[in-house]
Amino acid sequence: ARWGAMGFEGCFGAAPPPSKRCVQLGSSSTSVDPPEVNRRRGGRPNQISTVRFPSPLVISWLPKSLFAQFQRAANRYFLFVSILVCMPFSPTSWSSTAVPFAAVLLWTALKDLYEDMRRRRDDVAENLRPCWRFDAVAHKFVQTTWEQVLCGDVLLVFQDDVFPADCLIVAADSGRAFISTANLDGETNLKERRPPAPCGALLSKGGAVEDIASSAFDKCFCADMDEPKVGFDDMGGTVSFKGEDAGAIPSLLYAEHLAPRGCVLRNTAWLVAVAAYVGDESKSRLNVARLDAKISNLQVHLNSCVKGLVATLVLFCIYASIMAQALGQDSGLGDFLVRFCKYWIILYQIVPISLYVCFEIVKLLLGLQINMDKQMVHMVDPDTPEHALARTADLVEEMGQVQHVFSDKTGTITQNEMRFARCWIEGQDLGEFRPTESAPGKFKDPQVSTIGITTAQHILGDTTSKLCEETRRFFLCLAACHSAQVETGKDGEPLYSGSSPDEVAFLDAARAVGVTLRAQRLTPRDGCAAVELQIDGPEGLRALTVLCQIPFSSDRKRMSVVCEVDGELMCITKGADSVMGPLCNGTLGDAGMRQIDTYAKLGLRTLVVGWKTIDRKFLSAWQVRMETARGSPAEERGDKLAQCAKELEHSLWLSGISAIEDRLQDGVPAAMSMLKEMGIRVWVLTGDKVETAIEIARSCSLLSEGMALVMIVNATSPAHALDLLRDGQRQIDGLESCALVLDGGTMQYATDSEEGRSLIFKIGMASKVCVCCRLAPQQKRRLVQIVRERDKARITLAIGDGANDVPMIQGAHVGIAVRGKEGNQSVQASDVAISQFSFLVPLLQCHGRRAYRRVAVFLCYYVYKHVVLAVGDMCWAHQSRFGGEIAYPEWVSSAYAGLFTSFPVIIVLGFDRDLPDQVVSTHPDLYAEGQLRMHFNARIFATWILSGIWHGSLAWFIPNLTMGASDPGTDPDWNEDWWIGSIISFSLVLIYVDLRLWLIALNRCSKLTLFALMSSPVLYVLTLLVLGHTYLGSWLQPQIAGVPLEAVTRGKAMAALFVAPMAMLVDCIVFLASTQLRPTPLDQVRRGLDSNSKASRVSPPLDERTSG
């Protein structure tokens, strides 16, 4: 159960307590135990609700939204400030602080309400979907809605309808049904479902669906089921009939008898089922993911900076309160606390209320740019473009600092489009099966013929050949041992589909040589449902009956079927050579192992096919044991099933070895080379054998010529694994360029000890490349954890395409999914989804690198601009002998963060482009900026803070001293000169921060940059006019009535306003010196690009210089 292993759980409301379920149909009624199941949600247990605010909406919406918002520390901080400003001692009016904060809370609450109303609309649409429920009294199916369905209802589902609940299949047209689970797991192949064996008796009364449903009631259908479980393949229980005319022998229930809610019935005219699990107990609802949110390291640094700013605020408030006591302004503890609170109110904007809001907006813009990037568009077909998808914008800047990439192989760097390449039968390689480039793909065209196909056809047609019988058996095994489906196309030819591309390739290859699977049909056999395969081969059309199947799993690494061929029972097993060797008589032999190595060195994936005949008596006894194991408790079931499989899968005769090609995706070698040049370590983690993985690593340019391989494989014990690791460490010490090759068995032993984990990390970091083979999904995640635990500053990225990659994707800092053929579980667990591995390069080099710079500069600039504002209040505190008065008009200060300075920084940094993508792709060294934290570190942050103190001091002291209004003995509330100086100072603050933003912009003369920067002074001037020369302003800010225009008439004020910005020349000189003396890689490339651009403008093209 892939989803079950991931730890998914319901997250909307309290999950119902798990309980076993018993559904029994009587003469005209249904009984369910426990009865509480059908009492939930007011007697509508199948009703689903994903809303955050349940009805009545008016009562629940605002309190719940506010409660959620106050879980953030920043909101609790501003709530504390809003309470303080309402106190009598507050130096500012409550409205200037509380109103903006309330507006932010209300805006967020309205956004929550809008999103919840959309969820409510979707819930209503799903709950009111129609379905057909059997009315036992009226003896007919009547239409109802999904929310009216109860546990135990008998439902009728037609082709292309969606199942309204987890349904236990009772009967289906032709005895079996096919369902599409694409809505749940993204897998496009159809899955077969069938009713339990005893339900065949329901068809005795006739073919009408009403008769079948009535028969279920008459025969007292009874199902005892396990408690609701998360796994889609996890279903247990028994089914029986309690009526007098039907036996009471229970039959076990499995996943093949259950159709989960949300699945679609396909290729089946109708299906009758019993609602087993409804509403929040259905598997689709239990699988709603609750995943721990990932937090970027810059978000962590932002939180630390905010804590530092708050600590600075606390220290200054304590300092100001102490100084007020020392200067005789206050006395006693009460005055000390009041003074402390006053300065907290005055300086609270050092942590701006708009910081986190603007931070999220910038990230949202960066995420949208990923979604719209045309260089990451994959054309599924000429009319269907597939764009990259940033499923979360929280980690965009993290992609600009990646130092370690963990990559899956199959379907991630390869196409996962399997082609049957070669096969080895009885010591002979039959030759190349792959079509030429003129006829690529699978063996669809009967005209396509290759050496391998021709050789196989010749052998099959020559009954005197020694290889004939073995070759027939080999391809018969391929046509029989699979879980694929076959349909008949419009041309009468079979079409194969399945969850495993390997199996489809096997069936295509068998068909190409003349062993064709024509059809499948369900057939009763000894009270059980078997599958009859119609196989057209050299002997003509023959029937082969599959009696039971042991499916493939990542732990077993093999699959088996027991089938009857011409009256003989045969066990056919195919699997990886590592597990098939011990199961075959005399192992695989030296010749077989050499052939496997040969195929692996060609980059081909190998599977070993074995067979044996079995005795009917043994099969009967084994089936009883198997049924018993399948019905055992869930915690014991896996071990018992594995033990039963071992009883069957042994002493096999080797039939042959197949080799499958999984071609590389386009652009993978170039992408791998680019990633290495960007300074990123790439570890390939795969389940393939060692030789295959090494050859794929070579073909994709991960392993370069001359790179030594340090092989740490085939450990037999924990001590042996440690010895191999120590030897590997000694080998690496003398090598300049090497690659580590590690297998899953050795890793399993090594990770049991701290020394083993440490050695894996040290050797891996000393190697340029690491190839890890034969890994299980959890081992992939364990490697990611080892790197993260031992180097906490290292940013990791995991990329994969299947459900087996989900643990790795969730374990890394950044998870990337490659959309593939293995469903969308990896997409659902990822942070970003792309369609090709090669798209990883522009994702990191273009978007990630730019996002890191933009976000890092945003954080520094946002803190800087509020330090500039706060310095004026700190300076005035000393001048006023810590009297607790404000330095700037309070409403102007309140508008500073949200109205005057936020829009410019969002626009400038959200859309600032450093270099064209074509230039970026040729300079991998640019990526080092994020890896080395060049734009956000202690030195850079301290520089910004010092710059803020410098600019804030200039902005305050120049006008204040120039206007001569610095005497703290004057009353600033009625001192016009003082307020003129205050407004000029605030104007300089705005000028300094706008000029600083212009200075750090990369496109300083672009229309968008200039528009954003000009919006700030325009809005500021309009605000001053409103506050100083309107009735509204006289009510909000009476102290500056008439002051703004009066300031324009004062020569000293205008001189200060126009002369003080000249101090920015110092910043320009420092900025230019730093780019010349300590240029970043971006500075160097931009300088070179500018030089080339100037040279191209000065020098005419060569043809112009040589003409005439």
Side-chain angles (χ1 to χ4, degrees):
R2 291 178 299 183
W3 287 52
M6 296 178 205
F8 288 90
E9 59 185 5
C11 68
F12 292 104
S19 60
K20 292 189 176 182
R21 196 64 36 81
C22 178
V23 174
Q24 183 167 341
L25 306 183
S27 57
S28 60
S29 62
T30 302
S31 64
V32 178
D33 185 34
E36 293 79 13
V37 170
N38 284 334
R39 296 173 186 166
R40 295 178 181 138
R41 295 193 181 276
R44 296 183 178 182
N46 200 43
Q47 185 184 72
I48 61 105
S49 176
T50 60
V51 298
R52 292 175 56 190
F53 313 121
S55 299
L57 190 62
V58 177
I59 297 177
S60 64
W61 158 57
L62 198 55
K64 284 198 170 187
S65 178
L66 291 176
F67 179 79
Q69 291 185 63
F70 284 121
Q71 300 306 303
R72 299 183 66 171
N75 284 336
R76 293 197 296 271
Y77 168 82
F78 292 115
L79 176 63
F80 172 68
V81 173
S82 298
I83 293 174
L84 287 182
V85 297
C86 295
M87 299 298 176
F89 54 74
S90 173
T92 64
S93 66
W94 65 270
S95 55
S96 63
T97 300
V99 169
F101 179 51
V104 171
L105 294 178
L106 182 59
W107 169 259
T108 305
L110 290 172
K111 178 180 71 70
D112 292 342
L113 178 61
Y114 171 73
E115 294 174 349
D116 209 56
M117 290 179 69
R118 292 179 60 183
R119 284 192 290 265
R120 187 181 300 272
R121 180 195 62 196
D122 294 340
D123 290 347
V124 170
E126 178 161 353
N127 289 329
L128 295 183
R129 294 177 74 166
C131 63
W132 294 91
R133 178 172 61 183
F134 187 69
D135 187 335
V137 176
H139 185 67
K140 65 178 182 180
F141 283 96
V142 295
Q143 195 172 59
T144 185
T145 59
W146 280 26
E147 67 178 1
Q148 299 288 345
V149 172
L150 302 177
C151 179
D153 281 348
V154 178
L155 305 175
L156 174 63
V157 182
F158 292 104
Q159 181 170 323
D160 298 330
D161 282 350
V162 182
F163 289 90
D166 287 357
C167 295
L168 178 61
I169 299 174
V170 172
D173 183 35
S174 75
R176 62 176 179 167
F178 293 94
I179 63 172
S180 169
T181 60
N183 291 341
L184 304 181
D185 58 17
E187 294 187 6
T188 56
N189 60 292
L190 301 182
K191 296 177 175 61
E192 183 180 341
R193 293 293 187 265
R194 62 188 69 180
C199 292
L202 299 179
L203 298 174
S204 60
K205 292 183 66 175
V209 291
E210 290 82 1
D211 294 335
I212 293 173
S214 294
S215 181
F217 279 90
D218 294 342
K219 295 177 180 293
C220 298
F221 172 89
C222 181
D224 288 289
M225 298 168 286
D226 290 348
E227 65 275 3
K229 296 177 181 177
V230 173
F232 283 107
D233 296 330
D234 199 352
M235 171 67 183
T238 61
V239 63
S240 61
F241 291 96
K242 303 298 184 182
E244 296 179 358
D245 59 338
I249 300 175
S251 176
L252 295 176
L253 292 175
Y254 309 115
E256 64 188 28
H257 303 135
L258 189 75
R261 175 183 176 131
C263 295
V264 182
L265 184 65
R266 302 290 191 195
N267 298 348
T268 308
W270 54 265
L271 178 147
V272 176
V274 173
Y277 305 109
V278 296
D280 291 331
E281 291 187 336
S282 60
K283 292 185 181 295
S284 61
R285 297 293 300 152
L286 292 175
N287 276 284
V288 175
R290 181 198 294 272
L291 301 176
D292 293 335
K294 296 180 180 179
I295 301 177
S296 70
N297 70 319
L298 283 184
Q299 175 78 58
V300 174
H301 290 315
L302 170 62
N303 295 337
S304 300
C305 291
V306 169
K307 292 177 183 177
L309 292 173
V310 172
T312 302
L313 175 59
V314 170
L315 291 176
F316 185 84
C317 291
I318 293 174
Y319 164 74
S321 301
I322 293 174
M323 291 300 297
Q325 297 269 350
L327 295 173
Q329 295 275 13
D330 299 324
S331 62
L333 179 61
D335 290 342
F336 180 91
L337 294 176
V338 169
R339 189 71 58 181
F340 180 93
C341 292
K342 280 187 176 183
Y343 275 101
W344 190 288
I345 294 170
I346 293 171
L347 297 170
Y348 83 93
Q349 286 205 69
I350 199 171
V351 182
I353 192 172
S354 58
L355 172 60
Y356 286 96
V357 176
C358 294
F359 188 56
E360 297 299 329
I361 293 175
V362 169
K363 286 192 171 187
L364 179 61
L365 291 175
L366 300 179
L368 291 175
Q369 291 172 21
I370 292 175
N371 297 346
M372 296 186 294
D373 190 350
K374 294 182 179 180
Q375 65 178 329
M376 292 193 293
V377 175
H378 173 64
M379 299 303 296
V380 180
D381 56 58
D383 299 322
T384 310
E386 196 171 55
H387 292 258
L389 174 64
R391 300 186 69 251
T392 174
D394 291 339
L395 302 172
V396 286
E397 75 277 14
E398 205 88 323
M399 293 186 293
Q401 307 165 73
V402 173
Q403 297 162 285
H404 217 121
V405 167
F406 298 88
S407 174
D408 175 47
K409 182 186 79 67
T410 303
T412 301
I413 61 177
T414 62
Q415 297 181 10
N416 204 13
E417 291 183 359
M418 308 303 179
R419 297 199 303 175
F420 192 91
R422 308 180 81 95
C423 63
W424 184 84
I425 304 171
E426 279 293 298
Q428 179 174 334
D429 176 66
L430 301 191
E432 182 61 67
F433 275 67
R434 284 170 287 188
T436 62
E437 291 301 320
S438 60
K442 302 172 184 176
F443 309 98
K444 301 292 186 183
D445 187 351
Q447 302 300 320
V448 173
S449 182
T450 62
I451 294 175
I453 295 175
T454 303
T455 303
Q457 290 173 339
H458 176 73
I459 294 172
L460 291 173
D462 183 6
T463 57
T464 63
S465 171
K466 294 181 181 180
L467 275 176
C468 180
E469 181 180 354
E470 290 300 324
T471 303
R472 288 183 178 182
R473 181 181 290 114
F474 175 78
F475 285 104
L476 181 67
C477 290
L478 294 186
C481 186
H482 60 83
S483 58
Q485 289 88 44
V486 57
E487 299 178 57
T488 303
K490 294 180 180 179
D491 57 356
E493 292 299 317
L495 299 175
Y496 306 121
S497 62
S499 57
S500 170
D502 301 56
E503 294 184 336
V504 176
F506 288 147
L507 291 172
D508 284 330
R511 177 192 169 200
V513 302
V515 181
T516 305
L517 173 63
R518 291 288 179 187
Q520 298 168 309
R521 71 181 182 89
L522 201 64
T523 179
R525 188 66 178 269
D526 299 330
C528 297
V531 177
E532 183 180 278
L533 307 180
Q534 298 291 329
I535 298 178
D536 191 1
E539 306 92 338
L541 190 65
R542 61 196 298 196
L544 182 151
T545 305
V546 177
L547 302 176
C548 66
Q549 181 184 108
I550 306 177
F552 175 89
S553 71
S554 58
D555 294 328
R556 286 170 30 82
K557 298 182 180 179
R558 62 187 183 273
M559 171 189 180
S560 296
V561 297
V562 175
C563 56
E564 184 174 7
V565 187
D566 299 330
E568 185 178 51
L569 294 178
M570 178 186 292
C571 171
I572 303 172
T573 303
K574 66 177 182 185
D577 59 276
S578 59
V579 297
M580 289 295 291
L583 302 181
C584 290
N585 288 319
T587 68
L588 301 179
D590 293 338
M593 293 306 299
R594 282 196 301 271
Q595 193 62 42
I596 288 174
D597 290 340
T598 300
Y599 287 153
K601 289 176 182 177
L602 295 174
L604 303 176
R605 300 176 58 184
T606 57
L607 276 180
V608 175
V609 181
W611 68 280
K612 72 175 183 179
T613 58
I614 56 177
D615 180 69
R616 289 187 183 276
K617 185 177 181 181
F618 165 81
L619 179 62
S620 298
W622 179 84
Q623 284 180 313
V624 172
R625 294 194 295 274
M626 192 66 171
E627 287 295 302
T628 303
R630 294 176 75 175
S632 59
E635 60 273 10
E636 304 174 4
R637 190 178 303 153
D639 293 337
K640 291 186 176 181
L641 287 174
Q643 182 60 39
C644 284
K646 289 180 181 178
E647 295 177 9
L648 180 69
E649 298 168 332
H650 64 85
S651 304
L652 302 171
W653 295 102
L654 176 62
S655 178
I657 300 170
S658 67
I660 293 284
E661 177 198 27
D662 187 8
R663 292 183 293 177
L664 288 176
Q665 294 178 12
D666 295 336
V668 167
M672 284 292 187
S673 299
M674 186 68 171
L675 290 174
K676 290 192 293 182
E677 292 176 12
M678 289 162 61
I680 297 175
R681 293 183 182 273
V682 181
W683 288 14
V684 173
L685 316 182
T686 177
D688 285 341
K689 66 186 282 80
V690 173
E691 293 78 7
T692 302
I694 290 175
E695 289 306 313
I696 292 293
R698 284 201 174 103
S699 65
C700 72
S701 300
L702 185 62
L703 296 178
S704 55
E705 292 295 331
M707 184 176 285
L709 299 182
V710 178
M711 308 287 290
I712 303 178
V713 296
N714 301 324
T716 57
S717 66
H720 187 203
L722 290 177
D723 290 339
L724 291 174
L725 288 169
R726 296 186 190 108
D727 290 341
Q729 190 173 29
R730 285 191 289 269
Q731 293 179 48
I732 284 180
D733 290 340
L735 298 174
E736 293 184 2
S737 177
C738 63
L740 170 65
V741 179
L742 182 69
D743 70 348
T746 303
M747 181 189 163
Q748 186 68 38
Y749 289 128
T751 52
D752 289 340
S753 66
E754 176 63 27
E755 182 185 1
R757 294 190 292 272
S758 178
L759 285 171
I760 288 175
F761 176 74
K762 290 178 181 177
I763 298 173
M765 297 306 296
S767 308
K768 292 188 177 297
V769 172
C770 186
V771 179
C772 302
C773 319
R774 301 292 196 189
L775 295 184
Q778 290 301 327
Q779 286 181 309
K780 293 181 180 182
R781 176 160 185 161
R782 189 71 184 110
L783 277 175
V784 177
Q785 290 175 335
I786 287 174
V787 172
R788 291 192 61 173
E789 289 170 358
R790 279 160 177 74
D791 190 348
K792 297 187 183 300
R794 180 170 290 269
I795 303 299
T796 59
L797 179 148
I799 179 170
D801 73 310
N804 61 329
D805 301 316
V806 168
M808 174 179 71
I809 288 172
Q810 292 177 340
H813 291 91
V814 182
I816 308 294
V818 177
R819 299 184 184 97
K821 303 181 187 319
E822 299 187 20
N824 67 348
Q825 296 98 319
S826 60
V827 174
Q828 293 171 341
S830 70
D831 303 304
V832 179
I834 56 179
S835 300
Q836 296 284 311
F837 180 86
S838 59
F839 293 167
L840 184 62
V841 172
L843 183 66
L844 301 185
Q845 178 73 329
C846 297
H847 293 280
R849 181 187 57 80
R850 290 188 187 121
Y852 164 71
R853 179 193 171 275
R854 289 167 171 173
V855 173
V857 174
F858 169 84
L859 295 180
C860 292
Y861 175 80
Y862 220 89
V863 173
Y864 151 83
K865 70 185 182 72
H866 283 272
V867 169
V868 175
L869 182 67
V871 166
D873 282 299
M874 292 180 177
C875 294
W876 175 239
H878 290 80
Q879 290 178 291
S880 65
R881 300 174 60 86
F882 302 96
E885 294 133 357
I886 58 176
Y888 301 117
E890 57 190 87
W891 277 100
V892 177
S893 297
S894 297
Y896 176 77
L899 189 61
F900 302 152
T901 59
S902 292
F903 176 73
V905 69
I906 290 173
I907 296 301
V908 171
L909 294 181
F911 296 97
D912 213 15
R913 293 181 67 86
D914 46 17
L915 293 167
D917 291 341
Q918 297 84 349
V919 175
V920 171
S921 62
T922 61
H923 291 84
D925 54 309
L926 290 172
Y927 197 74
E929 292 187 354
Q931 295 170 326
L932 300 177
R933 314 296 195 266
M934 289 185 178
H935 296 295
F936 197 95
N937 53 51
R939 181 182 63 83
I940 293 292
F941 189 73
T943 301
W944 278 93
I945 295 298
L946 292 175
S947 179
I949 295 173
W950 162 246
H951 291 153
S953 300
L954 288 175
W956 176 258
F957 282 117
I958 291 178
N960 191 270
L961 296 177
T962 301
M963 299 299 295
S966 60
D967 182 9
T970 61
D971 184 3
D973 288 338
W974 305 108
N975 190 324
E976 187 177 71
D977 287 345
W978 191 92
W979 283 110
I980 290 176
S982 174
I983 289 177
I984 298 299
S985 294
F986 192 92
S987 303
L988 288 175
V989 167
L990 205 58
I991 291 172
Y992 283 139
V993 298
D994 283 344
L995 288 177
R996 186 58 187 266
L997 181 59
W998 177 82
L999 190 62
I1000 62 175
L1002 297 176
N1003 307 116
R1004 299 187 184 99
C1005 296
S1006 70
K1007 294 180 180 179
L1008 191 61
T1009 299
L1010 295 176
F1011 167 75
L1013 290 172
M1014 288 303 298
S1015 67
S1016 178
V1018 170
L1019 291 173
Y1020 173 60
V1021 169
L1022 291 176
T1023 302
L1024 283 182
L1025 292 176
V1026 170
L1027 292 176
H1029 303 281
T1030 65
Y1031 174 77
L1032 178 64
S1034 63
W1035 176 62
L1036 293 175
Q1037 197 80 62
Q1039 299 93 332
I1040 63 170
V1043 169
L1045 292 181
E1046 177 65 22
V1048 178
T1049 65
R1050 301 290 183 93
K1052 291 183 179 181
M1054 291 298 100
L1057 185 63
F1058 287 101
V1059 173
M1062 301 298 291
M1064 285 297 294
L1065 290 174
V1066 176
D1067 292 74
C1068 294
I1069 294 171
V1070 172
F1071 182 80
L1072 291 174
S1074 65
T1075 56
Q1076 294 294 325
L1077 301 177
R1078 299 184 60 181
T1080 65
L1082 179 60
D1083 294 332
Q1084 295 173 354
V1085 175
R1086 284 171 60 88
R1087 189 185 307 158
L1089 197 64
D1090 291 340
S1091 300
N1092 294 336
S1093 176
K1094 292 177 182 177
S1096 64
R1097 289 196 297 268
V1098 172
S1099 301
L1102 183 62
D1103 56 350
E1104 294 182 14
R1105 286 180 282 169
T1106 57
S1107 62

